Amino acid sequence: MRRRNFIFVLTLLLVCIAGGYVGAAPAAQLSNLQDFIFDTRADLEVLANEALGPEQRPEGWTFNNDLNSQTVISDLWFDNELLANNIFGENTRPPSWIGITANKPDIIARNVRHDLELSASQALSSNTRPPEWRGAAPLLRCERTLQNVLSLLNTLYRVTTNTPESALNYCASVSAEAEENLVNTALDQIENLPDEVLAIRGDMERLADEALGLNIRPPNWIGNKDRDSSTLTGDNFLDLESLANQLLGNNVRPPGWIGVVTNSQAISYQNLRHDLELLADVAVAERPRGWQGIDPLERCDPLIQNLVILVEQFEFTTEGIPQGDNFCQSVAAAANTLAESPPIEEIVVQDPNDRRLAEADYAFTYLDLAARQYMGLMPPGVTFRAWYRNFGDSTMMFVSGDDFAVYLDQRWTTLPIDIYDSLPTLEGVEPLTFCDAAWCDGPGPTPTPTGSGPLILLLLETTPQAPVEGGEESSNKVQVSWNYIRVTYVADNATTRTAQVALEICTETTQINCEPVIRILDNTVGAAKPVISQTPNGLNVYEFPYGYTANLVVEGATLTSTDVWLSDPSIR
């Protein structure tokens, strides 16, 4: 292979990289692209030493490890392909090789890492790497479709994988987890699912008639045809396995056979329909008359089906893709391409005529229906769409916007009560919540019960404050709010419902970079709050009642706040 063979692809890469192309997040989140590229280049050189010998490289090798170079990613890809030619053969690659699929630096880097691991497994062994191998997240060894399914689950639904990296068969475990997550978001939206499960029974009976003879069935055939039977899915599975044994031989199955049902009717339907179509492909020349499995997508691997379900939100369709032996591969290629370059902005556009659109009016927001995870005050003018309401007399509802999906109280919004009453309830629904808007500031304890008018006034700083000494000095400091204050509890007094606390005031709500509170002025009494004692590390100790205390001047060396929050022991 010569470098001139890559001119077109390299030109494409240089254009997108030099232009600073920004796209959707890759399947495996690359928190630091430069570090990722550096580690991949280092491992590429290590593998070249192992496969070719120290300092032996193919003709045209770039050796480019300059992270500031505009060609660092394209050269990484180029050298990886040169090494692959030596390991697999000229222009020969394993079926799962990804290569270049999108003109985005993060996607290219992700794909190079995946393919490099394939080369390492071929040159060394599947589980052996040199001691100096830097490696990457095990997800990057998984197939492209699975990576993109996980990426879209995260982008669209804020779902992340909980599979431990030490899992024995990591990719299979992650794939199963992704399928379960998809059921909780989109898959159970299949219309008339019980009827579709019954249709599998009908098609299985038709296939048995066609392949074995009319009304001839394998031994122990169950033949359950009751749509409402609680065992219909399981009986379908047992009869399908019996039919496969009869037609193909005991435990002989076509490549790609799944042979699994789960507690999820949707997943079980997907697996059974897939396997039934596989069996029909090898058992009969054409589908019997009246066959109900008319969707060619159901013959594809469920992972491909799941990716299609996700990219359908970007108006993806399989119409126009020729049906035939390569249908599933063509669908996978088209769906993966769209997944890696999705028009994310198209899915957040709201219909201005939607009656469920409303605005906040200083509404408290939460990540949970029980209002334990407070996320901040949604200010007026923030538009949201209401999706679900709570039961009974509760006025809590689930809403979402461009960068949040939270619970709030209908009374603190412009949504009319009749529209609220028309919303579907949360029965059987557990929406995914998140809050990335500028006003989000949590999760944390609720300052006071939702709907407190006096608290709203305090938070909006509309309560006049009495002048205090030292105000001019503190005016030069950066003002932050109560959730920037790190509280260390020293002692509790259950009788007075107060606590002695050491306070630090921080530059961010994560409370990492903090400075000691050096004094507190209480505007209510116009005097400094007394220092009760000091901790061994020199922090002042003050006494406050549980809950929210406002009308203060809490001062550090460079920061100040007007309020503080203390939780009682039951919350802690």
Side-chain angles (χ1 to χ4, degrees), residues 147-369:
Q147 293 192 48
N148 285 330
V149 165
L150 290 172
S151 177
L152 288 180
L153 279 173
N154 178 260
T155 301
L156 299 175
Y157 300 105
R158 295 300 193 274
V159 172
T160 58
T161 177
N162 293 315
T163 300
E165 294 189 353
S166 59
L168 184 61
N169 192 336
Y170 179 82
C171 293
S173 298
V174 168
S175 181
E177 183 191 10
E179 192 168 43
E180 290 289 344
N181 286 330
L182 192 58
V183 164
N184 294 329
T185 55
L187 196 55
D188 267 338
Q189 296 174 10
I190 297 175
E191 293 184 2
N192 303 318
L193 190 55
D195 292 331
E196 296 293 340
V197 174
L198 184 62
I200 290 177
R201 166 59 60 182
D203 285 349
M204 190 161 48
E205 299 287 347
R206 293 181 180 89
L207 180 60
D209 284 340
E210 184 78 12
L212 301 178
L214 189 63
N215 295 326
I216 298 175
R217 297 295 182 266
N220 302 317
W221 188 262
I222 301 172
N224 185 352
K225 300 177 182 178
D226 182 357
R227 176 190 181 277
D228 299 320
S229 169
S230 61
T231 64
L232 179 58
T233 296
D235 292 342
N236 282 351
F237 169 74
L238 294 174
D239 282 353
L240 181 60
E241 293 291 328
S242 296
L243 184 59
N245 285 336
Q246 187 80 11
L247 295 176
L248 307 179
N250 286 340
N251 299 320
V252 176
R253 299 293 184 268
W257 186 272
I258 301 171
V260 173
V261 291
T262 74
N263 291 330
S264 165
Q265 190 180 42
I267 293 177
S268 297
Y269 164 76
Q270 198 177 44
N271 292 350
L272 288 172
R273 172 55 72 179
H274 172 269
D275 287 351
L276 177 59
E277 297 293 340
L278 270 185
L279 184 59
D281 284 340
V282 299
V284 294
E286 59 184 29
R287 298 296 188 269
R289 183 184 301 274
W291 192 265
Q292 298 177 76
I294 59 175
D295 185 356
L297 184 63
E298 293 183 324
R299 305 182 187 185
C300 301
D301 185 277
L303 192 61
I304 296 174
Q305 297 184 46
N306 294 342
L307 180 61
V308 169
I309 290 172
L310 291 169
V311 297
E312 280 176 345
Q313 300 192 46
F314 311 132
E315 299 184 2
F316 178 83
T317 177
T318 59
E319 294 182 9
I321 298 179
Q323 296 187 27
D325 293 340
N326 296 321
F327 173 77
C328 293
Q329 292 91 327
S330 300
V331 169
N336 275 301
T337 298
L338 183 57
E340 291 165 357
S341 302
I344 296 295
E345 66 280 359
E346 293 183 9
I347 67 171
V348 298
V349 174
Q350 301 278 15
D351 179 0
N353 297 318
D354 191 337
R355 297 174 66 236
R356 288 171 290 183
L357 290 179
E359 293 184 2
D361 186 14
Y362 298 114
F364 281 29
T365 63
Y366 305 90
L367 292 184
D368 64 315
L369 187 59

Side-chain angles (χ1 to χ4, degrees), residues 458-520:
L458 288 171
L459 292 176
L460 297 176
E461 298 180 353
T462 56
T463 301
Q465 296 186 354
V468 297
E469 296 181 6
E472 184 175 333
E473 176 186 347
S474 63
S475 66
N476 296 322
K477 299 178 181 181
V478 176
Q479 181 171 322
V480 297
S481 58
W482 59 271
N483 47 351
Y484 285 72
I485 296 178
R486 180 194 291 168
V487 181
T488 302
Y489 294 86
V490 177
D492 287 286
N493 188 328
T495 302
T496 61
R497 293 191 53 79
T498 60
Q500 293 183 9
V501 294
L503 303 179
E504 297 167 89
I505 190 166
C506 311
T507 58
E508 69 289 304
T509 56
T510 53
Q511 300 178 3
I512 297 175
N513 301 303
C514 306
E515 59 192 36
V517 169
I518 54 178
R519 70 170 177 168
I520 300 177

